[in-house]
Amino acid sequence: MPASRSRCRPIRRSRSPAKTPITTFVTSARAGAPAADSRHLTQPAYRADIDGLRALGVLLVVIFHAFPEALPGGFIGVDIFFVVSGYLISTIIFASLENGSFTYAEFYARRVRRIFPALALVLLSGWLLAWLVMLVDEQQQLGMHLVAGAGFVSNFVLWSEAGYFDSDAYSKPFLHLWSLGIEEQFYILWPLLLAFVWKRKWNFLAITVLVALASFAANVLTVASDPVAAFYAPWSRAWELMIGGMLAWLALHRPRSLTVNADWQSAIGLSLIVAGVVLLDKKAAFPGWWALLPTVGTALMVAAGSSAWLNRKVFGSRLMVSIGLISYPLYLWHWLLLSFAWIARGRMPPPGVRSAWVLLSLVLAYLSYRLLEKPLRAGGPKTALALAAVMATILLIGVATDARLVRPRNDDAAIGPILEALHDWEYPSGFQRTSFAGATVNARKGGAKTVLFIGDSHLEQYGPRVVALLDGDSARYHSAVFLTSAGCSPVPGSAQVNGSHAATCTAFREQVAKLVASPAVSAVVIGAAWNVYLIEASPHVVESGDIDAELRGLENFIRSIAADKKVYLLLDNPSGEQFEPRNFFEGSRLTRLTVKPFQQRIPLDQQQDALRKRLARLAVAAGATVIDPVAQICPDRHCPVMTVDGRPIYKDDNHYRPFYVREYAQFIDVALQD
C-alpha cells in the first residue's frame, strides 16, 4: 500500500508540544539522521527492511487471492501495510509540524504523485477490460466502483453492497481498493487533526493513543454483531494505522525505548505474523482481537530497526526490497487480473492460469513502477495538478458508465430480458416498517387477525404476492407481519450459521421465539431455504452436519406453536444451477455471447423431492398445515424455467422473481384466508 519511500531529509532538534526534547530520528540502533531542511516536509530515513515488510504484506495478499486454499490467512498482509503506512506518514507529519516545515500543499501533492499514477492506469485498464468481457449490468456496477476507487471511498461502497444478494467477490475487479480507501481517508484526516492538536500544544502521543483506543474499541464491539462494518469502516481500522503512529512518535522522541533486543524482537514479530497466517481464515472474527497478531508483529519488526538480523539479512535483501518497491502497483494489478480471469471463465480458473496472471501482474507492476510511478513521483506541483485532473476524468467516466451511457461490447438485444431477472427483487416494497409486540417488523394491514411470517429470503420472495392480495381486498385477507432475516433459519436453537452475520441470526431467532408466543398472532407461517440448509450435498448445509437434529428441532418448534394457534410449514421451491439466468448464455465473453436454446421445464431434483416429502410428513405429525409450491408449480415433477413468452422466472438459482410470485404463487393465499 502507498507510503513514502523517500530518503531522509535531516531532522532539526526542536521541542514537542509537551516540551519533550526531540531526539534525532534513528533508522536503527546505531544510525541517526541529521538536521531537517525547513523548506520541505521532513522525510524518514530510508530503511530497506521496511520495503521488505511491504514485500511480505503484498506476497501474502497475492497468494491468498490466487490460491486461497493454500494460504487462507494471507489476507492479513493488508494489516502489515496499515501499520507501515501509519508509521511513515505519521513520522513525516510529526517531524514536519515540529520543525515548522509542514504544508498541506506539499503533503497532498506528494500523496497525489505517489498514489495516482499506478491507480489511474489500473482503473482505466479495468474499465477497458470491462467493456470487453462484461455484460451491461456488470459494467454498470463497475462504473460505480470506478467512481468509488477514484474518489477513495471504495470501502463505504462495498460496505453498502454487502448482503445476502451481494455478488461473488471475484466478480468485482476493484474490490481490493477498499484498503486504499481507508488509507486515503487517513491521509486526508490525520494531518488535519494533528495540525489542530499542534496549534493547541497538545501532546501528539496522547492523541494518537486516544484515537487508537477508541478505534480498537469500535472494532472489538462491532466485529461480532456487524463483521462487515468492522471490516470496512475506517473508524474500526484506524487503530492499525495508529500503531504505526505511536511507533513514529517514539522513534522521534524515545528511540531507545523501542528496542530491547533487536534480533529477538524482530523474530517474535515475524512469529506473530506467521501465527496469524496459520491460525486465521475467512471464518475468523476479523479484525477483532485477531488483528493484533499481524499489527503487533509488524510493529515489533519496525521497532527492532534495520540492524536486527532478520530485518537486515532477510527483509533487507535485494529480492525482498525489489518486491517491496513494486508492492503498490503489484497490489493494484494482481486482483484486477485474477478477477477478470474469473469473470471471463465464469468460475475459478485452474491453478496454472492463476499462476500466469500472477506472473503477468509482477511484470505490469515493475513496468508501472519504472515507467510511470517513479518518473512522475519526481515531478512538481504541475504534475500533481495534472494527475488530479486525470483522476477527476476517470471519476466522470465512472459516472457515465454507471448511468449506462457507455455500453459493453456484449450488448445483444436478446440478453436484456435475461439480465433484468438478475436484479429483480421487491421485498420489502409495499410493507410498512413498524414495531409489533416489541420487535421491528415489516407489516401490511388487512383484516382483524394477524398472520406472522417467519423465515429467510425464501419466505421474503412471497412478499409481492401478499402485498398484491391486500392491495386488492384488504378486508378479505388477514393482516400480515413479516419477521425475517436473509440467510438465517428461523428455527430457535438451529445450528445453521450465516458466516457473514452469525450474531444477526442468533438475535433473529431470539425474536422469533418471543413473537410466535404473542397473543396478537393468530397464525404462523414458517418458511426457509430448507434445500440449502438440510441437504448434505449443499455447500451451506448446517455446520453441525446433523440434519436429523435440525429436523427434530423444527418439529418441536412447530408443536410448541400448534398447541395455541394455526401453523403453516412452507416447503422450499425448486432450486439449482439450471434455473440461474446467467446460465442461459452461450458463447464466450471474449468473442460473443448469445442466449442459448433452453429447456422449458426441468425435472425436480431427487434429493430436494425427498426432503420435501420428509418435511411434509414431519409438519403433519407436528400439527401444521403444509404449503407446497411444488404441488402447484411442478405438478408432473417437472418445473418451469421460463414463462411461455421467454421471461426467466428465477432471479438467481433459488429465488422466484416478483412478477412470477404475484401471478402464480396462489398456494400462499390459504395462510391469509383461514
Side-chain angles (χ1 to χ4, degrees), residues 206-324:
I207 294 298
T208 306
V209 171
L210 182 63
V211 173
L213 290 174
S215 172
F216 187 75
N219 155 50
V220 171
L221 292 173
T222 58
V223 72
S225 60
D226 195 347
V228 176
F231 190 86
Y232 285 124
W235 46 85
S236 61
R237 288 285 196 165
W239 66 273
E240 302 185 47
L241 294 135
M242 292 301 102
I243 286 180
M246 288 184 276
L247 278 176
W249 190 92
L250 291 171
L252 286 166
H253 298 271
R254 301 283 189 274
R256 293 177 183 174
S257 67
L258 288 176
T259 307
V260 178
N261 183 307
D263 290 344
W264 276 106
Q265 197 168 304
S266 178
I268 293 170
L270 182 59
S271 298
L272 290 175
I273 294 172
V274 171
V277 173
V278 172
L279 296 175
L280 295 172
D281 58 29
K282 64 181 182 181
K283 295 181 181 179
F286 197 86
W289 292 96
W290 284 111
L292 289 171
L293 289 174
T295 53
V296 173
T298 302
L300 286 172
M301 295 190 72
V302 172
S306 56
S307 66
W309 187 90
L310 268 175
N311 290 11
R312 186 176 72 254
K313 294 294 186 180
V314 178
F315 293 95
S317 67
R318 179 175 295 182
L319 175 62
M320 292 297 281
V321 170
S322 298
I323 297 173

Side-chain angles (χ1 to χ4, degrees), residues 580-627:
E580 166 63 71
R582 288 193 186 277
N583 293 332
F584 297 173
F585 301 120
E586 64 181 358
S588 168
R589 286 176 178 262
L590 298 176
T591 54
R592 184 169 180 267
L593 282 178
T594 58
V595 178
K596 65 184 178 183
F598 54 87
Q599 287 181 270
Q600 193 73 36
R601 302 177 74 81
I602 299 293
L604 182 63
D605 180 85
Q606 292 183 358
Q607 288 183 309
Q608 294 180 19
D609 194 30
L611 176 63
R612 180 182 71 88
K613 293 174 181 177
R614 187 176 181 183
L615 285 170
R617 292 193 298 269
L618 176 155
V620 171
T625 299
V626 175
I627 299 177

Side-chain angles (χ1 to χ4, degrees), residues 343-377:
I343 292 168
R345 185 179 172 85
R347 58 187 183 278
M348 181 71 78
V353 173
R354 282 176 270 160
S355 299
W357 288 123
V358 169
L359 290 175
L360 179 58
S361 67
L362 280 165
V363 173
L364 292 173
Y366 173 77
L367 294 174
S368 301
Y369 173 73
R370 292 289 298 180
L371 303 179
L372 189 67
E373 179 183 328
K374 196 173 180 180
L376 290 176
R377 201 192 310 173

